[in-house]
Amino acid sequence: MIGQERARRQLALIAEVLTAAEAAGIPLWLRGGWAMDFFLGEVTRDHGDIDWFAGARDAPALAALLVRLGHTPVPGPPAGLQLDFAKDGLDSSFTLIDRDAAGRVTVAGGPWAGTPWPDGLLGTEPGRIGALRAPIVDPRVQIEIKRMMPVWDPSRPRRAKDADDIARLEAALRRRTAG
């Protein structure tokens, strides 16, 4: 069963972060399970955290904004790669992105710095759950990332939820192209 109370709290946190980031001129995109759910238009499963993409150049302003909103920084990956925060028992991770000379979206830091993310990563319409709209990772790219992550990083094994997410996204994409 989906943790309805946690989902409600996470959706409220997503709305709060998006509103504040937009007011500050900081673009953000949901990734992972929440991006899938916003594409599908409904909460499909419990989410352990909220995953985002944010520009590396915006990281200092984003971190300051989150602290002002009551988020607490959580130690984790290198600061140039990802920012992790917690608020009221909810975790959020902001994977940092950059652009190369050709304009491709790339990994901002860590051992894969400069490596391009799949083409079209950020090129999709916002998703929606109810009245809440959010920029999301393109669902086709989401599928590619979920399929390839264990190949790109062998320390990250395949997870059953990723196979389920891929199946949901593929079915929704088929329905949209058939309809």
Side-chain angles (χ1 to χ4, degrees):
M1 170 146 208
I2 296 171
Q4 292 180 350
E5 177 59 19
R6 179 161 54 177
R8 184 194 63 73
R9 292 176 54 233
Q10 286 174 321
L11 285 165
L13 190 64
I14 289 168
E16 174 191 63
V17 169
L18 284 172
T19 299
E22 184 177 332
I26 301 171
L28 297 174
W29 296 265
L30 284 170
R31 63 184 185 86
W34 276 113
M36 176 191 67
D37 281 0
F38 270 79
F39 175 70
L40 297 174
E42 65 181 330
V43 179
T44 62
R45 63 173 172 83
D46 189 42
H47 299 282
D49 60 4
I50 304 166
D51 295 314
W52 303 86
F53 276 120
R57 72 175 186 275
D58 295 322
L62 175 61
L65 174 75
L66 292 168
V67 168
R68 282 195 305 276
L69 292 173
H71 296 246
T72 302
V74 177
L81 178 63
Q82 182 170 303
L83 302 175
D84 292 340
F85 285 86
K87 180 178 181 182
D88 300 330
L90 301 175
D91 296 326
S92 297
S93 295
F94 297 82
T95 297
L96 302 178
I97 55 175
D98 208 348
R99 293 203 183 256
D100 65 13
R104 294 176 300 187
V105 178
T106 63
V107 176
W112 300 283
T115 302
W117 282 98
D119 288 339
L121 179 76
L122 308 176
T124 192
E125 293 292 316
R128 174 188 304 233
I129 294 179
L132 181 56
R133 293 173 54 92
I136 60 172
V137 169
D138 184 282
R140 288 165 191 85
V141 176
Q142 182 78 8
I143 291 167
E144 182 177 352
I145 291 169
K146 285 184 172 283
R147 280 196 176 122
M148 294 304 298
M149 192 55 71
V151 175
W152 296 333
D153 183 356
S155 71
R156 298 183 66 169
R158 293 197 187 279
R159 303 174 299 183
K161 72 177 183 175
D162 291 329
D164 293 342
D165 290 354
I166 290 168
R168 283 186 188 106
L169 288 168
E170 288 178 333
L173 289 166
R174 281 193 302 276
R175 284 191 301 273
R176 288 186 183 203
T177 56

